[in-house]
Amino acid sequence: MATESADVIVLGVGGMGSAAAHHLAARGARVLGLEKFGPAHHEGSSHGGSRIFRQAYFEGAAYVPLLLRAHELYERLERDSGRELAVRCGGLMLGAPDSQAVAGSRQAAEEWDLPHEMLDAEEIRRRYPTLAPRDGEVALFEARAGLVRPEETVSAQLELAAAAGAELRFNEPVTRWEALPGGRGVRVTTARGSYTAGHLVVSPGAWAPRQLAGLGVPLTVERQIMYWFEPTGGTEPWAPERQPIYIWEDPDGSQIYGFPALDGPGGGAKVALFRQGTVCTPETIDRTVHPAEIEEMAARVGARLPTLPGRFLRAATCMYTTTPDENFVIARHPEHASVTVACGFSGHGFKFVPVVGEILADLALTGTTAHPIGLFDPGRFADAGA
């Protein structure tokens, strides 16, 4: 097999990998991107038409600086690509005042002085007749929240990476990678060839348990389902100009989330349950969405959303790859200085895509980054692994 060389190889060019390839190539690095599937595919996690974007972050205020930078980079990516990637329709975090969705979002907003409003149940119902909160429930409204389009984002980053000189090879699964002795870079082997480079970025999504088996991070892959329903009475009240994204927490801590109806009457309103999937692998995931699952989802939304479920349109599966603490892993590999890893985005990573690409480019080219990524050190699991 022929051996070809690059400055940096990117293993997996989905959301994070395409961002890394874009930033690396834009800085003049010779980039080779290797992808198991085609461009902007639907086999992993970066698909489904929409992902929530927000900055009042209940998962932790430590994420806010990265979200502020991601907002800037999404705007730049839209300008550079000429694509509409974001829909800034606003966002609601709903639930009891002390719920994680509400209290955590409020804490992050206040700590970082993020513009927001607190709404009681009556005001929520008045502004958004599509929602039916219980008395006593409240919401944090963030006008800068909204959604991003995952397939469009990945496509934009791949196009810009290629325009900057990156070589992107699709439908070429990686069978093995290794750090060469003496700090001489890396070798990556596929069914088609063997490639060497000074550095390797591994961003394998749900394939991380196999591609990063030696990292020492316990990862769980879960099957998740996205549903689209046509609202009773039509989609006009669900248009992005009138309907924000929402995350709604029940008293038991479970969360439902949803989106406005995108792309006209046929697009439907998308809803899903957060982190209530079944454990799987990329090889064993059940891609069929069963009638009982649709019925369960319809019952959940029917208790909250007066004009849903309406008519069921379609459903699709994706995968979350989750760490035990639900925080990301972004770092130089602890055993291989010539390898940078990005994995375990735990179902809340896509909004960070462009800033993660910037971080991965920093780490690959210089070994460090000015962004605050201490939270994402894989060494935090060392004691548990031992």
Side-chain angles (χ1 to χ4, degrees):
M1 293 186 294
T3 298
E4 301 178 24
S5 62
D7 294 328
V8 183
I9 295 173
V10 180
L11 192 168
V13 289
M16 307 305 176
S18 63
H22 170 214
H23 282 275
L24 286 162
R27 299 185 196 183
R30 293 178 301 146
V31 177
L32 172 63
L34 297 171
E35 170 57 52
K36 180 180 178 72
F37 302 103
H41 62 81
H42 290 186
E43 301 297 322
S45 305
S46 299
H47 63 280
S50 55
R51 290 290 185 274
I52 286 175
F53 185 91
R54 52 196 165 89
Q55 294 177 342
Y57 214 57
F58 61 74
E59 289 86 347
Y63 282 92
V64 174
L66 298 178
L67 289 162
L68 296 174
R69 179 58 175 163
H71 179 82
E72 296 173 351
L73 291 174
Y74 265 117
E75 289 187 333
R76 181 190 298 176
L77 187 58
E78 285 186 305
R79 291 193 302 269
D80 291 348
S81 67
R83 292 174 178 258
E84 182 195 59
L85 306 178
V87 179
R88 296 163 183 85
C89 56
L92 289 168
M93 307 299 115
L94 302 103
D98 61 350
S99 63
Q100 182 191 20
V102 175
S105 298
R106 187 171 189 173
Q107 179 183 348
E110 292 175 348
E111 181 172 333
W112 288 94
D113 196 26
L114 302 174
H116 66 284
E117 296 178 73
M118 298 303 302
L119 310 178
D120 62 19
E122 181 179 358
E123 181 65 10
I124 297 166
R125 290 190 288 262
R126 186 189 70 79
R127 290 195 193 183
Y128 308 109
T130 54
L131 310 177
R134 302 185 182 100
D135 291 341
E137 288 188 310
V138 300
L140 179 143
F141 176 73
E142 181 183 1
R144 292 183 68 183
L147 62 95
V148 293
R149 298 177 182 267
E151 293 94 338
E152 287 290 307
T153 298
V154 173
S155 296
Q157 292 176 153
L158 292 174
E159 288 173 2
L160 291 172
E167 181 181 359
L168 305 173
R169 300 195 174 192
F170 298 100
N171 300 303
E172 186 167 353
V174 170
T175 58
R176 173 182 170 82
W177 66 264
E178 58 185 320
L180 299 175
R184 294 186 291 111
V186 297
R187 178 181 291 113
V188 177
T189 303
T190 75
R192 299 184 192 177
S194 176
Y195 310 98
T196 59
H199 200 86
L200 173 66
V201 172
V202 186
S203 53
W207 288 261
R210 179 167 63 85
Q211 293 289 358
L212 293 171
L215 186 60
V217 176
L219 296 167
T220 301
V221 178
E222 293 184 0
R223 170 183 177 264
Q224 303 290 330
I225 309 174
M226 303 169 282
Y227 303 83
W228 287 261
F229 294 94
E230 180 182 358
T232 302
T235 57
E236 185 177 349
W238 285 87
E241 298 79 17
R242 301 174 64 180
Q243 172 66 39
I245 61 93
Y246 56 91
I247 300 176
W248 205 326
E249 185 169 325
D250 278 338
D252 64 1
S254 64
Q255 295 176 346
I256 185 174
Y257 66 95
F259 299 81
L262 299 176
D263 305 322
K270 176 183 167 184
V271 294
L273 299 172
F274 189 49
R275 290 203 188 104
Q276 296 185 50
T278 55
V279 175
C280 68
T281 69
E283 293 74 31
T284 63
I285 182 174
D286 182 0
R287 297 286 185 181
T288 301
V289 180
H290 301 279
E293 294 173 315
I294 298 168
E295 292 172 6
E296 179 185 0
M297 190 72 232
R300 290 289 295 267
V301 301
R304 294 295 201 194
L305 308 163
T307 61
L308 289 185
R311 183 169 66 93
F312 171 72
L313 296 175
R314 63 191 185 280
T317 60
C318 70
M319 289 177 282
Y320 287 177
T321 307
T322 303
T323 66
D325 61 8
E326 298 174 359
N327 294 316
F328 310 156
V329 174
I330 308 172
R332 280 282 183 98
H333 196 294
E335 296 181 2
H336 308 296
S338 56
V339 179
T340 293
V341 299
C343 63
F345 289 95
S346 302
H348 64 113
F350 200 89
K351 60 185 71 65
F352 297 87
V353 154
V355 71
V356 170
E358 186 171 62
I359 292 166
L360 294 175
D362 290 344
L363 294 176
L365 297 178
T366 71
T368 187
T369 181
H371 290 294
I373 62 168
L375 183 65
F376 311 138
D377 187 340
R380 68 189 189 271
F381 299 113
D383 292 340

